[in-house]
Amino acid sequence: MTEMNPNEIDIVKAETSKIKSVDFSNLTFGRVFSDHMFVCDFEDGKWQTPKITPYQAMTIDPSARVFHYGQAVFEGMKAYKDDDGKIFLFRPDQNSARINKSSARLAIPEFPKDYFLNGLETLLKLDSDWIKPGLGNSLYIRPFVIATEPAISASPADTYRFMIICSPAKAYYNEPVRVLFAEKFSRSADGGVGFAKAAGNYAAQFYPTSLAQKKGFQQIIWTDASTHQYLEEAGTMNIFFRVGNKLITAPNNDRILDGVTRKSVLQLAKDMNMDYEVRRVSVEEIKEAAKDGSLKEIFGTGTAAVISPVSAFEHGGDVFEISPVEDSFAKLFKDTLMHIQHNLAEDAHGWRHEVI
Ligand code: COI
């Protein structure tokens, strides 16, 4: 087998750009896509020469495995532009590693890191006008892999498509979110796929989340599937609790997504000499802390959500409101992270990756 050159990409440029029709001051998350997309097919046991083409609909056989068995994984990343027009990614090696971890769990072949990064950087350079400078602006990047083989037998496909599409984005949540602590439904179980960014993990949350929304809560904080006594993650975000001045978050396990923002916040907490614990967090202790006034903050962390404060939670019919605090940790982490991402602060850990 001849080795493929990761720098080789067949590029067909869009004849005209859609960018003039986009109101960048009024974006709804994930509705508008940039001019180009990256596509690489896995056929005959190997990834073929990647392509960048104009963003467009595509034809996939109705029997493709992805439609029947959900053999699909994805990632979430962002590109940022500083005031000098330099483009940055944030810890992209983490996303490349994680999509392959997710793929391995779903029996999807790994996508080589150099194909991923070179493909993404080439795409970003073509669509660089879509990345607006300024804190809070970003181009959300959605890499994903789908099983394309036309056959409805319940087994891994022989053919796949790896793609990257991009969408200009501001905040995922515009307001603090109200959440329910899960008491009946579960997001994931031991030995399952909760740690993976498997498409089905998200679909499985839609119904319980729609029930929560009818009660006035935007999100669910998922609890462990066997006892529902321990708080795990929010589905679109990992979750942190501040009790007094101590920061607490659940440890990674096979039910929880290994969030890049989560691990960055933990590193920042360490850098700032904060008191923090990575351990199981019980529903009861958080309810007790809310009752005795020591629960200062709950916030979610994620690429899309960045840092998203929680303003109330419900459990067992009781609703606990969380009043905003002056010295908010959520705000401190959000500002610190965004300044690093936008090249406005020192990057002590080498998280920024310049797209050259
Ligand atoms: C992300 O934060 O990038 C995600 O993939 C979460 C998604 C629900 C928007």
Side-chain angles (χ1 to χ4, degrees), residues 87-135:
I87 300 170
F88 297 94
L89 292 163
F90 185 71
R91 310 186 74 176
D93 49 322
Q94 296 283 328
N95 301 92
S96 159
R98 192 172 62 185
I99 202 167
N100 284 334
K101 220 171 136 195
S102 302
S103 288
R105 180 62 180 80
L106 273 86
I108 295 172
E110 287 195 359
F111 192 67
K113 181 178 169 187
D114 45 6
Y115 275 46
F116 184 122
L117 292 184
N118 183 57
L120 174 55
E121 292 195 23
T122 310
L123 181 63
L124 291 176
K125 282 184 270 187
L126 270 177
D127 281 351
S128 69
D129 288 349
W130 291 79
I131 315 169
K132 298 295 177 197
L135 272 184

Side-chain angles (χ1 to χ4, degrees), residues 257-300:
L257 187 83
D258 181 10
V260 180
T261 313
R262 172 189 176 278
K263 68 175 71 162
S264 306
V265 163
L266 285 172
Q267 181 62 54
L268 293 175
K270 192 171 171 198
D271 296 349
M272 294 172 190
N273 284 322
M274 274 187 181
D275 189 9
Y276 71 92
E277 288 178 357
V278 178
R279 61 159 173 83
R280 293 207 301 180
V281 191
S282 75
V283 172
E284 277 318 306
E285 73 174 285
I286 296 303
K287 285 176 81 170
E288 280 310 308
K291 283 180 196 157
D292 70 22
S294 58
L295 180 69
K296 300 291 181 204
E297 289 178 82
I298 302 180
F299 58 88

Side-chain angles (χ1 to χ4, degrees), residues 29 74 76 140 142 172 197 202 236 302-305:
F29 186 87
F74 71 95
Y140 185 78
R142 174 51 62 85
Y172 192 78
K197 257 179 121 56
Y202 293 77
T236 54
T303 299

Side-chain angles (χ1 to χ4, degrees), residues 164-178:
I164 306 176
I165 56 175
C166 301
S167 173
K170 291 189 185 279
Y172 192 78
Y173 296 111
N174 292 316
E175 297 288 334
V177 288
R178 299 172 68 82

Side-chain angles (χ1 to χ4, degrees), residues 3-9 50 115:
E3 279 301 311
M4 308 261 314
N5 173 4
N7 295 317
E8 190 187 332
I9 303 176
Y115 275 46

